[in-house]
Amino acid sequence: ALKAWLKHKPDINVVLKSLIMHKKSDQWTMDKGKYIPHPSSWLNAERWNDEIEPKKVNSTYASFIK
């Protein structure tokens, strides 16, 4: 992962903000984190630039969120 970090030299603040969003995503929370990518793969794919869709809320409970 360090090699990937040094290769891409991303902005640490952008990466940290993205990680906060990614760790709440369906992909990263599904099956107890089974699909969390390896750090070097995540960095090499520049995944900090991905747009993350918010989790879908069950319509039964949507009225309680408003």
Side-chain angles (χ1 to χ4, degrees):
L2 177 59
K3 190 175 180 180
W5 183 271
L6 295 173
K7 177 183 173 184
H8 296 283
K9 299 179 183 173
D11 181 326
I12 185 72
N13 293 317
V14 172
V15 171
L16 290 174
K17 286 178 186 176
S18 180
L19 284 171
I20 289 169
M21 297 301 294
H22 274 279
K23 73 179 187 178
K24 297 175 186 175
S25 71
D26 287 335
Q27 178 184 359
W28 285 30
T29 58
M30 185 183 345
D31 294 335
K32 299 181 183 177
K34 182 178 178 181
Y35 301 103
I36 296 173
H38 190 273
S40 60
S41 300
W42 193 83
L43 289 168
N44 280 321
E46 298 186 10
R47 300 296 300 269
W48 64 87
N49 291 320
D50 290 355
E51 288 189 33
I52 301 155
E53 293 184 32
K55 283 190 172 187
K56 295 178 182 168
V57 177
N58 185 324
S59 62
T60 305
Y61 301 104
S63 61
F64 295 111
I65 296 174
K66 293 180 182 180

